[in-house]
Amino acid sequence: MEMARIGATAAGGCRRLALSDEDRAARDLYIDWCRSADLAVRIDHVGNIFARREGRSPSLDPVGCGSHLDTQPHGGRFDGVYGVLAALEVVRTLNAHATETEAPLEIVVWTNEEGARFAPSMLGSGTFAGVHTLDFALTRRDREAITVAAALESIGYAGREPCGGHRYRAFFEAHIEQGPILEREGFTIGAVTGVQGLDWYDLRVGGEDAHAGSTSMAARHDALAGAARMITAIEDVARDHAPHAVATVGDIHALPGSRNTIPGTVEFTLDMRHPDAQALSDMGDAIRAECATIARQRGLELGIDSVEHTAPVVFAASCVASVRTGAETLGYPLREIISGAGHDACHLAGVAPTGMIFVPCAGGLSHNEAESATPADLAAGCNVLLHALLDHAAGTP
Ligand SMILES: [Zn+2]
């Protein structure tokens, strides 16, 4: 709640855009807390913050955990910041109990997770994981054409450490679920097994503009009527891949857009997601085939362009297992869950065994100023994080 005062909004949320003055204030406060917990703080070239607690064997790769401090413009008090402060709370608890770990621990704040000011999202973790080059990251611009490099300089967070190139034994991120499943089903902990993949397509259906009164039904090439059949076929494909598949047509334009002209052109978008790469690819094939058949039957032209593809992430079995064991040891009701949203942990999964811990949030609401979670659930997530970290750092719970 103290952190939530930085960038607090009238409606009870937070506005801490990446690398803004509010982000600087949040980082400064966090680093104060880290130093008070005897952590050694380093900052890399994209402003990622690493705070290290030494282990008995300093030469071992550290176990990492963390999340992000930036928020959406109308963001909440928990998205991201929970994972950062949960990590700090674990360190404070180990300090309070004078517990040493074999491997060092490193708690991390990743720069620009939200992507609200600078696209793409998850920029700091993506650069760390080698998905983006440093030059790409530093040259991203906000709407005022301010680059990431300039914003880092202006808030004093252009760090000296090279970005990436150091390894983690394992990495964990605690996060609110940002969906309704845990709350609805009465679970305290979600052991996240992966993050669904995403395909975005633009579809264009070409028919023929014609007079609505004088063109018989048999003579028409109605692009909108064809698109309507395609959209229901898309729904059917998603249902055929239940329970994990989702497909959404969220935007559609019929041209020329006149009451008494048969639409000759329709453009619409498709957002399709599935946690399994093969299933996602099969869905794409099925949708192409179904739409092509409908187009052929109706004498329409069809264009399908792929505009974005994000592969599904499968988290490490060893990390999912420690989250499960931690929750079982502590007696928290646990369910395995797939994340519908992207997280820094998705990029970390490419370079280290990675896992995530979800806790319920009220009404499943997130990216919203009313975002909320109970102290008991947040504490439970922290406790599971502690156990998971000790498990991988070869400490003694
Ligand atoms: Zn987040």
Side-chain angles (χ1 to χ4, degrees), residues 114 141 207 396:
E114 294 290 359
R141 289 171 187 274
T396 328

Side-chain angles (χ1 to χ4, degrees), residues 67-68 70 78-81 113-114 173 175-176 178 342-344 366-367:
S67 191
H68 58 98
D70 66 323
F78 300 94
D79 176 3
V81 62
E113 192 277 345
E114 294 290 359
E173 180 172 1
H175 208 283
I176 57 167
Q178 303 184 283
H343 295 285
D344 291 311
S366 184
H367 286 195

Side-chain angles (χ1 to χ4, degrees), residues 10 72 96 142 207 216 244 276 284 312 366-367 387:
Q72 289 287 316
D142 69 5
S216 73
H244 294 309
D276 179 78
S366 184
H367 286 195
H387 278 247

